Amino acid sequence: MTTFNQNRIPETSHPSQRRQFLERCFGTSCGFAATLLLAPLAARRAYGQEKAGDVLGKRPFGRIEKIGDGVWALVSTPFQANGSAGDLSTHSNGGLIVGTDKILAIDSYRTRAGCQFMAEACQFLTGRMPTHVVHTHFHFDHLGGTRGFLQQANTPEVIMTQTTRQLAFEAYLKTQDDHNNPGLKTSAIEKWGGNLTDASMIIEDETKPLTLDLGGRSVTITPMSGHTSSDLVIFDQKSQVTFAGDLVWDGIFPNFMSSSPKQWIDSVKTITAASDQTIVPGHGSVCQSNSDNIKKYRVLLEEIESHARAEFKRGATDMDAAKSFQLPESIGDFRYFRSGFHEIAMAAWYRELKRK
Ligand SMILES: [Zn+2]
């Protein structure tokens, strides 16, 4: 890893900022646990009395759940009741792992406003802000909101792989017509409501895991691939929690746009190999590695593969393969961020099959 900036130990939060968060919570009945709100700061700093699975706060776009000691997930809820897209301020999931010295945020969501929800929760829970943000991959819904962590002179280290940085710059810095403002051009990521924040720590060796000592706990950051050509998986030894990024999806049909599907299946096998771990998927609910949800997800990936292979073999086009693909009944309903995801999945498999 190349470090361009010195690591900074965060300053204690300004009391008025904590107050602001509390008031906002009361004002909007955000549902932060009453025990936490009433607890003295010292107790809150010890992460309150809440148990894993407790919902700490809620917004229309997502909720913050405690999933282990010093570990929280922001679980996005981007669908309306009828299954159509709802509030996409966060769009993807992310999390926080809190050590005595450093706080690692996993991903920064789609927009600054979405990311601010996690920043405020971090401030509320620990009196501090994230010192490091790691990006699981380059997609806009996982890195557009980083500015939400830049508050009160807090400048977290932004960690990504060399490949992710390159892909993000290629994809999101090009400009296009701004449909809301004729004559103006915006960058591709601004179209999605985000901004691109550059890395300050770049993982150059994408072949082996690295360890980040947060103080009292260390996390392993493992380069993998499949969803994109460069994915990072974050594992916290102490809580046995894995943040899988978009290598794992729960109940939502995955986006194969930038994928290498065979490699993706291999990565999922590795991530879900241990039976008793908590997995935070990139989209959907937090799962146990041996849960039905994870089994259904693996069945889905395998069904997509076998359908693509069979159709390819008999000479069907990828678009025909997409038309004839049906979700296996055994996995129940999956949601879709938009139409066309079967086509994208088959196109990805065909790219791979044609290479052989
Ligand atoms: Zn993604």
Side-chain angles (χ1 to χ4, degrees), residues 146-181:
T146 305
R147 289 184 185 183
F149 288 134
L150 310 181
Q151 293 173 10
Q152 300 273 317
N154 181 65
T155 312
E157 300 290 355
V158 178
I159 305 171
M160 57 182 98
T161 66
Q162 184 87 278
T163 306
T164 290
R165 181 170 182 265
Q166 188 183 331
L167 291 170
F169 273 71
E170 280 169 12
Y172 302 132
L173 278 193
K174 61 187 173 206
T175 58
Q176 53 197 33
D177 291 333
D178 181 343
H179 294 300
N180 297 323
N181 301 291

Side-chain angles (χ1 to χ4, degrees), residues 137 139 141-142 227-228 246 249 255 283:
H137 63 293
H139 286 158
D141 53 326
H142 295 260
H227 175 64
T228 68
D246 277 5
W249 294 55
N255 186 352
H283 300 275

Side-chain angles (χ1 to χ4, degrees), residues 235-263:
F235 176 65
D236 175 52
Q237 182 74 34
K238 195 170 176 181
S239 62
Q240 296 286 298
V241 170
T242 297
F243 287 88
D246 277 5
L247 286 165
V248 176
W249 294 55
D250 166 57
I252 302 168
F253 194 94
N255 186 352
F256 281 74
M257 187 176 286
S258 324
S259 70
S260 310
K262 186 82 198 89
Q263 181 57 47

Side-chain angles (χ1 to χ4, degrees), residues 70-321:
V71 186
W72 285 271
L74 194 161
V75 179
S76 286
T77 49
F79 293 102
Q80 299 182 52
N82 66 5
S84 62
D87 189 329
L88 296 172
S89 296
T90 45
H91 196 162
S92 72
N93 295 339
L96 283 180
I97 304 174
V98 179
T100 52
D101 296 333
K102 300 182 178 79
I103 300 177
L104 176 67
I106 296 97
D107 281 337
S108 65
Y109 319 98
R110 176 169 169 154
T111 69
R112 179 184 194 155
C115 186
Q116 269 169 351
F117 180 42
M118 188 49 124
E120 288 166 3
C122 185
Q123 189 82 23
F124 172 74
L125 288 160
T126 69
R128 296 181 283 155
M129 289 286 281
T131 57
H132 293 68
V133 185
V134 61
H135 291 303
T136 57
H137 63 293
F138 80 95
H139 286 158
F140 67 89
D141 53 326
H142 295 260
L143 53 66
T146 305
R147 289 184 185 183
F149 288 134
L150 310 181
Q151 293 173 10
Q152 300 273 317
N154 181 65
T155 312
E157 300 290 355
V158 178
I159 305 171
M160 57 182 98
T161 66
Q162 184 87 278
T163 306
T164 290
R165 181 170 182 265
Q166 188 183 331
L167 291 170
F169 273 71
E170 280 169 12
Y172 302 132
L173 278 193
K174 61 187 173 206
T175 58
Q176 53 197 33
D177 291 333
D178 181 343
H179 294 300
N180 297 323
N181 301 291
L184 288 183
K185 286 184 177 290
T186 50
S187 77
I189 198 164
E190 284 166 359
K191 180 184 150 199
W192 305 108
N195 300 97
L196 187 56
T197 304
D198 200 359
S200 60
M201 299 174 88
I202 297 174
I203 298 172
E204 288 174 336
D205 182 350
E206 301 183 31
T207 62
K208 44 178 187 280
L210 56 94
T211 301
L212 187 61
D213 184 357
L214 301 179
R217 73 194 315 152
S218 64
V219 298
T220 309
I221 300 175
T222 305
M224 291 193 187
S225 62
H227 175 64
T228 68
S229 56
S230 182
D231 300 297
L232 290 177
V233 172
I234 290 85
F235 176 65
D236 175 52
Q237 182 74 34
K238 195 170 176 181
S239 62
Q240 296 286 298
V241 170
T242 297
F243 287 88
D246 277 5
L247 286 165
V248 176
W249 294 55
D250 166 57
I252 302 168
F253 194 94
N255 186 352
F256 281 74
M257 187 176 286
S258 324
S259 70
S260 310
K262 186 82 198 89
Q263 181 57 47
W264 192 340
I265 287 178
D266 290 345
S267 293
V268 171
K269 271 185 200 145
T270 306
I271 293 167
T272 57
S275 61
D276 51 356
Q277 285 177 11
T278 301
I279 296 179
V280 182
H283 300 275
S285 298
V286 177
C287 304
Q288 289 304 117
S289 49
N290 57 356
S291 64
D292 278 352
N293 288 20
I294 293 292
K295 283 180 198 140
K296 285 175 183 174
Y297 172 63
R298 292 186 59 171
V299 168
L300 173 64
L301 292 185
E302 283 157 15
E303 287 289 326
I304 293 168
E305 173 178 9
S306 58
H307 184 77
R309 284 186 185 281
E311 292 298 288
F312 182 76
K313 201 170 168 187
R314 75 177 187 90
T317 66
D318 55 345
M319 290 302 109
D320 284 340

